[in-house]
């Protein structure tokens, strides 16, 4: 049952996530004429724009202390890239193939690019310590769909590769206590890693019939929810 509609602007309002304190929502919107990040109160009030540079900004998550955002961005630089981006945008489309990661304060200040790896770097999520970010990237891949997981400090230092499988690993998320890492895969499975055992793969949750497109931990109890291209959502209690 839908209890409240939070946005009603024409165009794109999507990719929403809730702050850890439950007070705010960050989302991507075209209400300013470009694909920018916006924040609103949990009840839909006090909408304000965070990013303002030309390009697609999306997939944002709050830091554990609610003070910063981590997000992916595809920002055209050359005249040809800008023309192509605007043409797609006019049709309500976007085709980001090169994406880098950025951080920004929730008031829009101190925007920083923290990766310059090339190709697609996306699906970032903060470690519970608030100092590191897990993300998915194909920058080492010879095939576009081979994505591995990487860790980086949120100042852009100390890049570390976490997985080395030649498959699609993405949508990573740490458990609230930081002991486990979960990620989605296009082989229809959810992968569970033990952080304290150097990210050893300790389990695979198998129940979807098509690629897994999102997986998230409950913020308080050991419960996972996943969604899939098979048009189902599943709840899991992982055996940890």
């Amino acid at each position: 049952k839908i209890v409240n509609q939070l946005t009603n602007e024409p165009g794109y309002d999507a990719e929403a996530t809730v702050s850890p304190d439950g007070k705010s929502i960050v989302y991507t919107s075209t209400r300013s004429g470009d694909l920018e990040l916006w924040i609103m109160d949990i009840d839909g009030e006090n909408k304000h724009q965070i990013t303002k540079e030309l390009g697609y900004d999306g997939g944002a998550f709050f830091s554990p202390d609610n003070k910063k955002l981590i997000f992916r961005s595809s920002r055209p630089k050359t005249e040809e890239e800008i023309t192509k981006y605007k043409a797609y945008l006019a049709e309500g489309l976007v085709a980001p193939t090169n994406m880098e990661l950025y951080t920004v304060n929730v008031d829009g200040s101190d925007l920083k690019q923290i990766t310059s790896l090339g190709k697609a770097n996306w699906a970032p999520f903060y470690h519970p310590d608030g100092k590191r970010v897990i993300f998915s990237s194909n920058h080492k891949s010879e095939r576009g769909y081979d994505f591995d997981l990487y860790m980086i400090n949120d100042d852009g230092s100390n890049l570390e590769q976490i997985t080395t499988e030649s498959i699609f690993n993405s949508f990573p998320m740490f458990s609230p206590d930081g002991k486990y890492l979960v990620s989605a895969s296009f082989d229809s499975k959810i992968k569970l890693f033990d952080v304290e055992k150097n990210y050893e793969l300790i389990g695979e949750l198998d129940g979807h019939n098509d690629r897994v497109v999102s997986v998230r931990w409950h913020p308080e109890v050991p419960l996972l929810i996943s969604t899939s291209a098979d048009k189902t959502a599943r709840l899991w209690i992982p055996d940890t």
Side-chain angles (χ1 to χ4, degrees), residues 9 17 25 30 55 77 130 153 173 178 195 198 206 210 230-231:
E9 290 286 326
T17 59
I25 298 172
T30 54
K77 303 297 183 183
N153 292 343
M173 185 178 185
V195 174
N198 197 29
D206 190 358
D210 203 340
D230 66 11
K231 299 181 181 179

Side-chain angles (χ1 to χ4, degrees), residues 6-72:
L6 301 179
T7 65
N8 55 16
E9 290 286 326
Y12 188 79
D13 287 331
E15 305 177 44
T17 59
V18 178
S19 60
D21 63 9
K23 296 180 179 179
S24 303
I25 298 172
V26 61
Y27 60 106
T28 296
S29 178
T30 54
R31 64 185 58 220
S32 67
D34 191 17
L35 287 156
E36 306 287 4
L37 295 183
W38 287 67
I39 287 180
M40 61 181 166
D41 295 342
I42 197 70
D43 61 0
E45 298 298 317
N46 193 29
K47 296 178 178 68
H48 52 285
Q49 186 174 344
I50 305 302
T51 57
K52 298 179 181 179
E53 294 185 25
L54 183 69
Y56 162 67
D57 298 333
F61 280 91
F62 288 88
S63 60
D65 63 4
N66 309 286
K67 294 180 179 180
K68 297 173 70 174
L69 300 171
I70 178 74
F71 65 99
R72 62 180 183 247

Side-chain angles (χ1 to χ4, degrees), residues 210-229:
D210 203 340
R211 63 189 186 276
V212 181
V213 297
S214 181
V215 58
R216 292 288 175 253
W217 289 95
H218 189 282
E220 297 176 352
V221 297
L223 184 70
L224 292 168
I225 185 168
S226 61
T227 57
S228 168

Side-chain angles (χ1 to χ4, degrees), residues 180-240:
Y180 301 99
L181 174 70
V182 69
S183 74
S185 175
F186 273 11
D187 63 2
S188 78
K189 297 177 182 178
I190 298 162
K191 300 183 183 298
L192 186 65
F193 302 89
D194 190 322
V195 174
E196 296 178 341
K197 295 181 179 179
N198 197 29
Y199 297 97
E200 176 185 337
L201 179 64
I202 60 171
E204 293 183 328
L205 305 178
D206 190 358
H208 287 294
N209 297 317
D210 203 340
R211 63 189 186 276
V212 181
V213 297
S214 181
V215 58
R216 292 288 175 253
W217 289 95
H218 189 282
E220 297 176 352
V221 297
L223 184 70
L224 292 168
I225 185 168
S226 61
T227 57
S228 168
D230 66 11
K231 299 181 181 179
T232 66
R234 291 180 177 268
L235 290 173
W236 310 84
I237 301 176
D239 184 11
T240 57

Side-chain angles (χ1 to χ4, degrees), residues 68-174:
K68 297 173 70 174
L69 300 171
I70 178 74
F71 65 99
R72 62 180 183 247
S73 182
S74 179
R75 298 189 170 187
K77 303 297 183 183
T78 67
E79 184 175 339
E80 180 181 358
E81 289 173 344
I82 292 171
T83 299
K84 183 177 180 180
Y85 175 80
K86 289 182 175 180
Y88 272 116
L89 188 64
E91 297 296 324
L93 302 172
V94 64
T97 54
N98 295 312
M99 295 184 288
E100 301 293 348
L101 302 184
Y102 290 73
T103 61
V104 67
N105 292 336
V106 294
D107 63 1
S109 65
D110 200 24
L111 177 71
K112 293 180 180 178
Q113 182 176 340
I114 67 168
T115 64
S116 298
L117 300 173
K119 296 187 179 180
N121 305 279
W122 69 311
F125 191 84
Y126 265 101
H127 187 278
D129 66 14
K131 299 177 181 179
R132 294 174 287 170
V133 174
I134 189 87
F135 67 101
S136 180
S137 175
N138 68 344
H139 75 277
K140 286 187 176 182
S141 174
E142 295 181 0
R143 298 181 296 175
Y145 56 82
D146 282 349
F147 283 82
D148 276 305
L149 303 182
Y150 294 81
M151 186 92 80
I152 195 170
N153 292 343
D154 78 344
D155 64 1
S157 64
N158 196 28
L159 179 67
E160 175 188 7
Q161 186 167 351
I162 303 300
T163 64
T164 56
E165 300 172 284
S166 181
I167 60 171
F168 181 90
N169 288 293
S170 195
F171 309 108
M173 185 178 185
F174 288 101

